[in-house]
Amino acid sequence: MTSGEPLLSSSDPLSAPPPNPLSRISSLGCLCPNASFSSSIFEDTPNDLFDVNEGENLFSAVDKALREGNLEYCSPLKSSFCSAESQILQQFPLKCPPQDRKRMVSWGGSMELQQNSLAFGISGGSSHDPENKSQRIRHKSMQIDDNLSHEENPRLIYVNDPRTTNDKYEFTGNEIRTSKYTLINFLPKNLFIQFHRVAYLYFLAIAALNQLPPLAVFGRTVSLFPLLFVLCVTAIKDGYEDWRRHRSDQNENNREALVLQSGKFQFKKWKKIWAGEVVKICADDTIPCDMVLLGTSDPSGIAYIQTMNLDGESNLKTRYARQETTSMVFEGGTVSGLIRCEQPNRNIYEFTANMEMKGKRFPLSQSNIILRGCQLKNTEWVVGVVVYAGQETKAMLNSAMSPSKRSRLESYMNRETLWLSVFLFTMCLVVALGMGLWLQCHKDRLDSLPYYRKTYFGGRSAGKSYKFYGIPMETFFSFLSSIIVFQIMIPISLYITMELVRLGQSYFMIGDKHMYDSSTDSRFQCRSLNINEDLGQIRYVFSDKTGTLTENKMEFRKASVHGKNYGSSVLMSDTSQDTNITVSRTAAPVGKNRWKLKSEVPVDSELMAFLRKELAGDERIAAHEFFLTLTTCNTVIPILTRSLSSSCMDSEFYEDAEAVDYQGESPDEQALVAAASAYGYTLFERTSGHVVIDVNGEKLRFPNDSVKVLVKGADTSILSILKRDAAEDGHIRHATQSHLNEYSSEGLRTLVIASRDLTDAELEEWQCMYEDASTSLTDRSIKLCQTAALIECNLQLIGATGIEDKLQEGVPEAIESLRQAGIKVWVLTGDKQETAISIGLSCKLLTSNMQQIIINGTSEEECRNLLSDAKAKYGVRTSSCRNWNLKWKRNAESHYLEIPNDTKLSNVPMGFSEKEEGTMSTELALIIDGNSLVYILEKDLESELFDLATSCKVVLCCRVAPLQKAGIVDLIKSRTDDMTLAIGDGANDVSMIQMADVGVGICGQEGRQAVMASDFAMGQFRFLKRLLLVHGHWNYQRVGYLVLYNFYRNAVFVLMLFWYILSTAFSTTSALTDWSSVFYSVIYTSVPTIVVGILDKDLSHKTLLEYPKLYGAGHRQESYNMYLFWITMIDTLWQSLVLFYIPVFTYRESTIDIWSMGSLWTISVVILVNMHLAMDIQRWLLLTHAAVWGSIIITYACVVVLDSIPRFPNYGTIYHLAKSPTYWLSILLIICLALLPRFIFKVLHQTFWPSDIQIAREAEILRKRPNHVQSKPDQSSS
C-alpha cells in the first residue's frame, strides 16, 4: 500500500471547498493481488516541515518543474509556497509486468501533509495554481539551490570495496571534529575572534601608546593589566569549552563498530571507517555514519530506528533494506555492487540513489538509508554500506549554529558610547590646546618651572637635555597622553559585567519553578545569553497554533461516513474498565483475542452498532473501507505487549489479551489508528511487504485479491478530484462538505477519505511509468509526481474525520495578560480558516464584539481591492499619516500614570488608542489566508497589508507556509522599531523563530527542531506570560540601569582626573597611583554592579502578574533612554566637581602632599559611587549589603596595602590621613553635597510625576503594612 495525497484537483471554482487544516494525513493505498515484493516503503518527513534554511536544497527540482509548467494538474487554492514545503515521498519500485500479468508492487506507509502542500500518492511533490505562482515572493525567502545529484556527477560507492571507492574520489574519513581550536592555532585564532570587538582594539591601542617613552603616563605593565585580564578570562572560558568539545570528539571517534574485514565482521574504531565499507549495527547501538541498508534481522528487511539525536523526535521510524540485497545477506553470500548517489547535502529528509547489482538496477530512497546519530531499536541487527562518512554525513552538515542575535539595548549602548568618545576627544583636545598655550606663554622659563623643563636641574645630569621635543610635539604628545589617562571613559569592564549579569539572570530563569513543565519534565532553557533584556520590550508576539497554543495530542471526535454524521452519541468512558468493555466487545464475539489500547478512546454507540452488521450494502461497505483506510494508510508502527486483563467480566475471552501501542511520526496518524482499533479495526502487524489487521476478531492480510486505491487527505485536495457522475455521489458530497464545515467551526482538524478501484490496464500503465520515474537520478520527484497523476483521479468519496487538538492549559489567560500588557498577539497557522477562528475564540484571542476583516483573495487585483476596501471602510490611515499619531500616543502613555482604587493600573487614554486602531471604536481583527499572502507579500501590497494589520487588535493568518511566517515577521521588523517574538514547536516554525528578534521554542510533540533554533525554550505557552511580564521586565530594568551606572561610574572618575589636570598646567600627571586607577573598575566597584544587576527587583512577581500594564515601562524605554543618559551625565559633572574641589578647598592651606590628596580622592570616589548605587537599589538582600559595603571595605584594605609598600611614592599616606578628623569630614561632605541634587530630583519626580512602576511599588509597600493604611483615615478624622 502506498501513501500520499492526490496531486490532481479540479480548477472548477464552484467545487473548491474551504482551505484545509494544518498537518493533515494523506494516504494512498493499492490493494493488489498476487503481489511479490521487490522493494520497500519509504520513510516520510516528520510531522512538521523542516526549516527551509536547513533543507533548502530539497525542492528545487519541484520548483523548477512548476516554473516550467511541467505539472499539468494543480489546485487553484494552493499558494506558490507549496513548492517550498511539499514533502518528497518515498518511492515504490515496481517492475513492468511481464506477459503473464504478474504484478510486482510495494507496500508502504503514509505521509504527513503539512500546511497547504499537496502530497503525491506515489512519489510526493508540490502544488501550484493555474497562474504558475511558485516562483513568487522569493524576495521574502532564501533561494532554494538545486543540490540533487545529476547523472553526470554522481557519487560512486563500490559496495565492500573501500579502496576502489576512496582511491578514486578521495572521500573524507569518518573522523569528526566539532572543536574550534588546536594547540597550535588557539592563541592567534582566539585573539583574532576576541578583537572583533572594537572596544578591545581601542584598549589595545591605548596600551601600545603607553609603551612609548614620551607617553608613559602609567607603568608599562600596569597599563596592560585591564586588557590582559579581559582577554585571559575570555580565553580561559573559550579554551575550557573547546577542551570539552575535543574530549567529546575523541570519545565519539574512538567508539567501535563491526566492519566486514577479510570475510568476517571485526571491531573497528569509528574514525577509521571509510565510504564503501560494510558495517553491522546491533540493537540499541548508534549509527556511526550514513549507510544504505543491505539487510536486517527481519527477513522482510524492516528496521526500526530512533532519530532523537538527529531531530529530537522520540517516535520510532521504519527503514527498509531492498529485497534484492536482503536475500543475499540471509544466504550468507558476498554483497557487491555499485551505488550511484547524490553528492553530500544537508537534507535529512531525502536521499536519491540507484544501485546496480548482478546486472539489475533499482532505486534507493530515504527509506533505505539510516543516518549517523540514529539508534537501532526493536531490531537485532542491520547490515549496511557506508555512503557518507565523517564531516560529509547529513548530521554533521546540519550542525551549523543558528544566526546570532544582538540585544536592542546593546545597540543603543553603542550610540551612547559614541557620545562618550566625543566627550573623551573633547577633553583630550582641551588638555592638548591648553598645554600648548601654557608652554607658549612660559617658553622663556621652561628651565626653572616644576612641570616642564628643557634640562636637568642638578646631579650628574645637570645641564643635560631633558625629555623636551618642542612645543608642537609636546602638544601632540599631551593629546595622546590624555587619551591614556582618560581611557576608562569607554568602559571596557562593562562588556564583562554584562556577560556575567546575563549569565546570572539566565541561572534564575532556568531555576524558576513556575516555568517547569512536569508533564514533559522540561525546564526553561536559555540558549542565547545576549538578549535577556529584549524580553522586556516585546511589542509583537507571533505564535504558531498547533502544538503551541494547543497540546498537539489528537483525539478522534467525529466521523462522516457515506454522508452520515457520527459522534453525537459518543460513549464517554469514566473508567478504563468501561473503555475496555467498549473496545473489547468488537472482538469478543469471535472470542480469542482482545486488544487493549494504551489510552482511552471514546466511541460512538450508533457507529459501533452499525459496524456489527453484515458487510453488505453501500453504506456498510463504505464504513468498512473508511476504517480500513484509517488503519492501513499511515506509517504507524504497532507495538504489542501480551498481558492479562484486570477485568473480572467475561474473563474467558481475555486470558490471551494483548495490549497494543502505536508509534508514529504524526499525532494525527496515531489518533486515527487508535480510533480505528477502538471501533474494531486493529492494526497489529506491519512489514515492508504486508499489513495485518484484526477486524472484529477476523484477521485480514493485505495485499489480497483486489486492486483498490485508498486515499485520505485534506479536503481542498480530495474533494476537487472526486468522480462527479452519480446523483447519489453528489448528495454524499454535499452532506460531507456540510459536516466538514461543522467540524471546522468546532475547531476540529478535518480529513477526507476516498477510494477508487483500479483496472489491470491502469495498474500496468502505472507500473511501467513508475519504474522509469523511480530509477531516475534527475528530477525523480517531478517524474514520480506525473506518474501519480494517473491514478489520483475519479475518486469515490467515503467520508471525513474530525480530530480535536485541545488548548493547552492557561493559554486564554496568558493571551489576555499579554494583550493587557500592550503586546499584540498574531497567530500564524497552517489550519483552515474556520478551525483557526474557532481556536481563536476559545483562547480569547478573538472576541465576539470584534469586527472581523477577512482577506481571501485569489488574484493580486482582488487582494488589492480587498485591502483598499477594508482600509476605506474602517478609516485606516497610511503608515506615513499614522506615524505622528503613534508617536503622540506613546508619549502620552509615558505621562498617563494612575492606579485607581479598584487596583487597575493606568491605561492608554481611549482617544489615543483609537487614533492608532482606526477611527472606529470597534476593535478590528484581520483574518487572512496564505493564498492571499502570496500576492500581498509583493513590494506594492506590503505597505497596504502593514497599514491594515497594525491597525487591528488581532491578526490571524491561516494556511500559511513556513516562509510566509517568516515574511510576516519581517514585515513588522523592517517597517517598525518594535521588538518581535516568535514562538513555535515544530520545524515549520524555525524560519519564523530565526527571523524574529527573540525566538522561543516549545518542547512539544513535534521534535526539537524549533527548540534547537530558538533563543529560549519552554514546555508550555502559558510560561510566556511569566517570561515576559516578570523576567523580561526585571532583566530590562536591571540591564538598563547597569549600563547607565557603568557610564556614570567611569565618567565621574575621569572627570575628577580632568579637573586635576586643568589645575596642574595641563600636564598629564596623576595624583592617583597606577594600581588605584587600574583597580577602580576591576576590583573596587565591579562586584556591587554585578550583584545588583542579577538580584535587584523593582517589583515582586505577584505585582507584575497582577498588573500586566506595568510591562509598558519597557515599551516606553523608562529604564534606558537618551533623556536618562543626559540627566546622568549632568549629575556626573556635578559630582565630579564636588569630588575634586571640596578636598582642594579643605586642604588649600595645608602642607599635604599630592599622594595624600590622591588617596583621599580614591576613597571618596569609591564611597560616592557605591552610595549612588545604594540610593537606587530597590531590593536589599544580605548579598547586596555584603557587595556594597564590602566593596568599600575592600577598597580601604587595598589602599592600606598599597600605602604600606616602601617602593611606592604614596608610602604611608593613609596612616597620616586617617588620624585627621578633617579627612573623615571631607569624605562625609563630599557624599552629602554630591548626592543632594540627585536626592532632591528623585523626591520631586516621584512626588509630582511618578511612573507606573513607582506607584505600584508604593502600593506594594503599603500592602505589606496594612496598619499603616488603616491609620490614615483615623488621623484625618481627628
Side-chain angles (χ1 to χ4, degrees), residues 877 880-891 912 915-916:
R877 298 185 178 92
S880 59
C881 297
R882 295 173 59 238
N883 283 341
W884 186 84
N885 286 330
L886 184 58
K887 184 176 181 180
W888 182 28
K889 174 235 178 190
R890 290 182 180 172
N891 288 339
F912 294 118
K915 289 180 185 298
E916 184 191 17

Side-chain angles (χ1 to χ4, degrees), residues 362-382:
F362 45 86
L364 301 174
S365 69
Q366 174 63 21
S367 63
N368 308 121
I369 188 173
I370 50 179
L371 305 181
R372 181 189 179 109
C374 301
Q375 280 188 314
L376 187 65
K377 296 290 184 180
N378 295 358
T379 308
E380 265 188 64
W381 54 263
V382 298

Side-chain angles (χ1 to χ4, degrees), residues 32-51:
C32 308
N34 304 325
S36 64
F37 305 102
S38 60
S39 67
S40 61
I41 70 171
F42 64 95
E43 179 64 27
D44 301 315
T45 57
N47 186 38
D48 271 311
L49 286 174
F50 60 89
D51 175 34

Side-chain angles (χ1 to χ4, degrees), residues 123-380:
S123 63
S126 173
S127 71
H128 70 122
D129 60 20
E131 299 180 12
N132 196 17
K133 301 176 293 189
S134 65
Q135 69 270 31
R136 300 183 56 174
I137 63 176
R138 289 303 182 197
H139 65 281
K140 282 294 176 190
S141 65
M142 59 179 58
Q143 296 300 322
I144 299 178
D145 301 322
D146 185 2
N147 284 347
L148 295 177
S149 58
H150 300 285
E151 289 185 353
E152 63 270 12
N153 186 31
R155 165 177 281 218
L156 302 184
I157 303 294
Y158 294 87
V159 180
N160 199 22
D161 191 359
R163 184 179 299 275
T164 304
T165 300
N166 294 304
D167 284 351
K168 186 173 182 180
Y169 293 97
E170 299 181 355
F171 299 146
T172 62
N174 198 42
E175 183 175 5
I176 64 167
R177 178 172 168 238
T178 60
S179 58
K180 296 168 61 177
Y181 308 108
T182 64
L183 286 176
I184 298 175
N185 70 7
F186 173 75
L187 188 60
K189 189 173 182 179
N190 184 261
L191 289 176
F192 176 78
I193 293 175
Q194 288 198 59
F195 277 108
H196 274 70
R197 283 183 168 174
V198 180
Y200 287 10
L201 294 175
Y202 164 77
F203 285 100
L204 178 64
I206 295 295
L209 289 175
N210 199 70
Q211 306 307 307
L212 301 177
L215 307 175
V217 177
F218 302 121
R220 297 182 180 179
T221 304
V222 175
S223 65
L224 292 172
F225 181 78
L227 182 62
L228 290 177
F229 177 78
V230 174
L231 293 176
C232 288
V233 169
T234 307
I236 291 172
K237 178 182 70 73
D238 293 344
Y240 174 71
E241 291 177 351
D242 205 61
W243 172 76
R244 294 179 63 183
R245 294 191 195 100
H246 273 285
R247 186 176 61 176
S248 176
D249 292 345
Q250 187 177 10
N251 293 338
E252 189 81 357
N253 291 326
N254 289 330
R255 296 173 70 173
E256 293 184 335
L258 290 170
V259 179
L260 187 61
Q261 305 175 76
S262 303
K264 60 181 180 179
F265 287 101
Q266 302 178 9
F267 283 105
K268 190 176 185 179
K269 290 185 177 181
W270 279 19
K271 63 182 179 181
K272 296 182 179 180
I273 297 176
W274 292 88
E277 289 190 304
V278 176
V279 180
K280 183 177 182 179
I281 307 298
C282 299
D284 298 322
D285 284 350
T286 303
I287 312 302
C289 39
D290 296 353
M291 307 189 311
V292 168
L293 283 178
L294 298 177
T296 73
S297 56
D298 190 308
S300 63
I302 191 172
Y304 301 107
I305 63 169
Q306 189 178 66
T307 61
M308 181 176 291
N309 292 335
L310 194 62
D311 57 16
E313 297 182 9
S314 58
N315 292 333
L316 297 183
K317 299 177 177 62
T318 51
R319 294 292 185 268
Y320 307 90
R322 296 286 311 205
Q323 291 297 321
E324 294 86 345
T325 59
T326 299
S327 58
M328 295 191 63
V329 170
F330 266 91
E331 292 169 4
T334 303
V335 179
S336 61
L338 173 64
I339 295 177
R340 300 176 185 270
C341 62
E342 58 191 351
Q343 294 298 325
N345 59 71
R346 296 169 49 181
N347 185 7
I348 64 175
Y349 302 124
E350 187 186 63
F351 177 67
T352 305
N354 286 332
M355 186 172 182
E356 297 177 5
M357 189 177 66
K358 295 183 177 181
K360 297 182 180 179
R361 183 183 181 190
F362 45 86
L364 301 174
S365 69
Q366 174 63 21
S367 63
N368 308 121
I369 188 173
I370 50 179
L371 305 181
R372 181 189 179 109
C374 301
Q375 280 188 314
L376 187 65
K377 296 290 184 180
N378 295 358
T379 308
E380 265 188 64

